[in-house]
Amino acid sequence: MLQGNIICEEDILTSVCSNLNEIVMKTLHINANFDFYGLKSEGYYTIHNKNKSFEDKRIDLNMRLYFDEENENEFLYAYILWFSVNPKKIGIGSLIINEIIEVLKHLTNIEFIIIHPKDKEVKKFWIKNKFIEDQKLNSDKRININTRRILSYQI
């Protein structure tokens, strides 16, 4: 829905979900059925896929798009809470993450993406995909989550 010349966040979120569905269909040949929920008043929307697996193929993505407190009509960053894909170790996860980054670059004005890797193997995956440890984000007051041990990708 257009509000003047501004595209409202629901349209952006719908476009992000649609693009994510296309990426997963193209890559894994399954309908992930991405959707979003949340309230602007909470400061973020959550994007997730309802269909997680089909036979030996699986994708699970749960991420939040947080609003900029100074400009409440713009998203500031994405926080990937959970990402997993199967089959593993053949490049599909990296391909999908890079496509997700491109979608977010083109459909939002976010400045960065953050992740909390749960272990060394997961951290290695994210570093391989150009996420870095960024100490200055630890003191960034615009981030509404625990910033210890985060990796980030600057857009």
Side-chain angles (χ1 to χ4, degrees):
M1 173 181 300
L2 291 177
Q3 296 176 347
N5 290 332
I6 299 171
I7 299 174
C8 69
E9 66 273 356
E10 286 88 1
D11 289 339
I12 293 170
L13 293 162
T14 298
S15 293
V16 168
C17 290
S18 175
N19 278 270
L20 294 177
N21 284 326
E22 289 177 24
I23 291 165
V24 173
M25 181 58 76
K26 177 179 69 174
T27 309
L28 290 173
H29 308 291
I30 61 175
N31 177 9
N33 196 15
F34 279 95
D35 202 0
F36 66 91
Y37 63 89
L39 297 170
K40 189 172 188 173
S41 62
E42 293 175 349
Y44 64 87
Y45 282 91
T46 301
I47 295 174
H48 68 106
N49 59 307
K50 293 180 180 180
N51 297 338
K52 307 289 185 206
S53 64
F54 180 76
E55 295 178 5
D56 59 342
K57 298 174 185 176
R58 176 175 177 79
I59 183 161
D60 193 358
L61 173 66
N62 190 318
M63 72 175 167
R64 292 179 178 165
L65 292 179
Y66 281 83
F67 285 99
D68 185 342
E69 289 181 5
E70 294 176 10
N71 182 0
E72 61 186 40
N73 291 320
E74 296 286 338
F75 291 111
L76 175 63
Y77 65 96
Y79 173 33
I80 299 175
L81 291 105
W82 182 260
F83 175 74
S84 80
V85 66
N86 198 27
K88 294 187 181 308
K89 301 199 185 270
I90 60 171
I92 290 175
S94 294
L95 179 74
I96 291 173
I97 284 301
N98 287 312
E99 294 268 356
I100 289 169
I101 290 168
E102 289 304 310
V103 165
L104 292 173
K105 279 183 186 179
H106 289 96
L107 294 175
T108 70
N109 291 325
I110 64 171
E111 294 181 21
F112 51 91
I113 302 168
I114 56 177
I115 179 100
H116 276 268
K118 67 176 185 166
D119 59 39
K120 288 181 182 178
E121 183 178 350
V122 172
K123 184 176 181 179
K124 183 179 173 183
F125 167 81
W126 290 104
I127 289 172
K128 181 179 82 170
N129 285 285
K130 301 181 181 141
F131 281 71
I132 61 168
E133 294 183 48
D134 188 349
Q135 296 303 319
K136 69 181 178 183
L137 284 180
N138 289 342
S139 60
D140 193 326
K141 303 293 184 209
R142 302 174 302 166
I143 300 175
N144 295 326
I145 61 169
N146 178 354
T147 57
R148 293 178 312 145
R149 299 185 322 269
I150 64 171
L151 296 178
S152 67
Y153 182 95
Q154 299 296 315
I155 300 293

